[in-house]
């Protein structure tokens, strides 16, 4: 097919259109889109290292094998749509500016060492997983809508708002740092090679959603509200750090020789299950107003408070071990069941039912 090479300044004006149809455009200078750049029928637009593509109009990537390849800088200040079967590869800097809207319905790959920064609206809706091997930064003004699968093998930092929508998935095999708002009605899963830190933000697990820590570590230093499922599995660790809060309104599961450490406030209003072989350590405040099944090892550390409130049930299962080195209170109207081993080395106050 035909080819076009720009090594200086090329502007597609306010009524201008550039169609890359089964052909190749290579930019080593500056291309500015004021109206329309359309890549289709196997066409390729290559933005080489140190080159700049600025979009103030529309950039459309259509069809199988059509490709927008960036090794320089793309500044999207308007509308960029990667249609089904189209492709975007980033080996440079991809800026979706505060006025920008990026829709991904094809394949989108951010390579190792390279950067996507979203200051505007980014919608991932592709049937092909979006892959981040580099740096994906959602800034304070950024809104990232995940309506498909996002796989993070690099660094994902959220300083804005991330919505992981119903039945959709974020697979975190790298580092995920949340400092603002992360809502999930789908699945956010951190695997053995990854880590998730809620540094200064809010994670909300909505009804039907799940936050899974599989053989990895989740560190909460802010607020997590769970209306779905929080699960720690495959020898994973959940660290609820000093000053943080975990509010459980549905279910928290600690499975498969995993560990849960509460050094702040963990308010259970629904259901917690610590499976046999797993460990739960409370070193601060644990008010239980729901059902808490301690089936593994439960440690109430020095300085900690465990209160089984009116209407709450705390059950030390058969074969389980509970050690109290501080304060346990079973309030009036609370039910405390011990079918395992309970070692009390400090203060246990029973005002309710104890069996």
């Amino acid at each position: 097919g035909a080819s076009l090479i720009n090594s200086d300044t090329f502007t597609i004006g306010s009524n201008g259109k550039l169609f890359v149809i089964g052909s190749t455009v290579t930019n080593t200078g500056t291309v500015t889109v004021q109206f329309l750049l359309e890549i289709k029928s196997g066409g390729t637009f290559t933005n080489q290292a140190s080159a700049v593509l600025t979009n103030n109009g529309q950039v459309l990537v259509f069809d199988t094998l059509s490709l927008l390849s960036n090794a320089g800088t793309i500044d999207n200040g308007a509308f960029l749509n990667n249609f089904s079967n189209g492709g975007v590869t980033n080996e440079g800097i991809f800026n979706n500016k505060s006025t920008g809207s990026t829709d991904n319905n094809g394949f989108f790959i951010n390579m190792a060492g390279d950067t996507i920064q979203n200051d505007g609206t980014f919608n991932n809706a592709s049937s092909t997983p979006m892959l981040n091997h580099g740096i994906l930064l959602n800034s304070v003004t950024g809104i990232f809508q995940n309506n498909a699968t996002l796989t993070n093998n690099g660094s994902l930092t959220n300083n804005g708002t991330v919505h992981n929508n119903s039945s959709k998935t974020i697979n975190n095999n790298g580092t995920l740092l949340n400092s603002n708002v992360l809502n999930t009605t789908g699945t956010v899963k951190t695997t053995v090679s990854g880590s998730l830190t809620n540094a200064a933000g809010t994670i909300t697990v909505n009804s039907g959603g799940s936050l899974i820590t599989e053989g990895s570590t989740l560190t909460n230093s802010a607020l997590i509200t769970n209306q779905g499922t929080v699960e720690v599995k495959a020898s994973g660790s959940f660290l609820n750090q000093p000053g943080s809060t975990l509010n459980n309104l549905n279910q928290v599961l600690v499975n498969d020789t995993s560990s849960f450490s509460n050094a702040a406030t963990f308010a259970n209003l629904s259901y917690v299950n610590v499976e046999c072989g797993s460990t739960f350590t409370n070193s601060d405040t644990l008010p239980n107003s729901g059902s808490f099944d301690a089936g593994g090892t439960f440690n109430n550390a020095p300085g900690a408070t465990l209160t089984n409130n009116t209407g709450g049930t705390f059950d030390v299962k058969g074969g389980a071990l509970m050690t109290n080195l501080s304060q346990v209170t079973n309030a009036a109207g609370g039910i405390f069941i011990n079918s395992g081993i309970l070692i009390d080395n400090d203060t246990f106050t029973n005002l309710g039912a104890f069996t």
Side-chain angles (χ1 to χ4, degrees):
S3 63
L4 170 67
I5 299 174
N6 173 58
S7 57
D8 199 345
T9 301
F10 187 97
T11 300
I12 304 169
S14 57
N15 292 306
K17 300 177 183 179
L18 176 62
F19 296 99
V20 185
I21 304 174
S23 56
T24 301
V25 173
T26 302
N27 178 38
T28 61
T30 300
V31 172
T32 301
V33 180
Q34 300 291 0
F35 190 67
L36 178 64
L37 168 61
E38 189 172 300
I39 308 164
K40 61 190 301 183
S41 302
T44 300
F45 187 105
T46 300
N47 202 46
Q48 292 194 345
S50 76
V52 177
L53 170 62
T54 299
N55 177 40
N56 298 316
Q58 295 185 83
V59 174
L60 309 178
V61 185
F62 286 101
D63 308 324
T64 303
L65 301 179
S66 295
L67 179 65
L68 173 59
S69 176
N70 177 49
T73 299
I74 293 178
D75 286 325
N76 179 46
F79 183 66
L80 189 152
N81 194 338
N82 182 35
F83 286 85
S84 178
N85 298 318
V88 177
T89 59
N90 183 52
E91 296 180 83
I93 298 172
F94 184 101
N95 289 321
N96 191 51
K97 300 173 77 174
S98 60
T99 55
S101 176
T102 297
D103 281 351
N104 176 48
N105 298 283
F107 71 86
F108 200 121
I109 302 174
N110 187 42
M111 304 302 290
D114 301 305
T115 301
I116 297 172
Q117 179 166 329
N118 178 44
D119 299 330
T121 300
F122 197 114
N123 178 37
N124 179 44
S126 175
S127 59
T128 302
M130 179 178 174
L131 300 177
N132 176 46
H133 299 292
I135 298 168
L136 175 53
L137 173 61
N138 192 49
S139 75
V140 66
T141 59
I143 299 173
F144 192 102
Q145 297 276 359
N146 188 47
N147 289 299
T149 298
L150 169 63
T151 297
N152 175 46
N153 297 318
S155 171
L156 171 56
T157 299
N158 176 42
N159 295 321
T161 301
V162 172
H163 296 289
N164 185 48
N165 293 314
S166 179
S167 303
K168 311 309 177 186
T169 302
I170 296 176
N171 289 315
N172 177 37
N173 306 314
T175 59
L176 197 166
L177 174 64
N178 180 57
S179 295
N180 205 333
V181 176
L182 171 58
N183 293 319
T184 181
T185 312
T187 299
V188 177
K189 180 179 179 181
T190 301
T191 64
V192 65
S193 58
S195 65
L196 190 159
T197 301
N198 187 38
T202 300
I203 296 177
T204 301
V205 184
N206 296 309
S207 178
S210 59
L211 182 64
I212 300 173
T213 304
E214 184 177 82
S216 53
T217 300
L218 188 157
T219 302
N220 179 39
S221 298
L223 173 63
I224 296 177
T225 298
N226 176 43
Q227 299 169 345
T229 299
V230 171
E231 183 177 9
V232 191
K233 61 190 295 187
S235 300
S237 298
F238 192 114
L239 305 176
N240 206 39
Q241 297 287 76
S244 65
T245 300
L246 170 60
N247 293 319
N248 178 41
L249 305 175
N250 195 41
Q251 62 175 359
V252 172
L253 308 175
V254 186
N255 298 328
D256 307 330
T257 65
S258 296
S259 64
F260 194 111
S261 176
N262 177 48
T265 299
F266 177 12
N268 178 42
L269 301 172
S270 187
Y271 178 64
V272 177
N273 183 57
V274 181
E275 190 176 70
C276 179
S278 293
T279 301
F280 191 108
T281 300
N282 177 45
S283 54
D284 201 319
T285 305
L286 200 168
N288 177 51
S289 300
S291 178
F292 196 114
D293 288 347
T297 299
F298 186 98
N299 298 311
N300 200 45
T305 300
L306 166 62
T307 304
N308 190 45
N309 292 324
T310 300
T313 300
F314 195 97
D315 190 351
V316 182
K317 296 291 188 179
L321 171 65
M322 176 177 176
T323 302
N324 176 39
L325 299 173
S326 188
Q327 176 71 47
V328 175
T329 300
N330 185 38
I335 299 172
F336 197 104
I337 303 170
N338 178 37
S339 301
I341 299 172
L342 171 59
I343 300 174
D344 179 28
N345 289 327
D346 202 317
T347 303
F348 191 109
T349 302
N350 179 45
L351 302 173
F354 185 99
T355 59

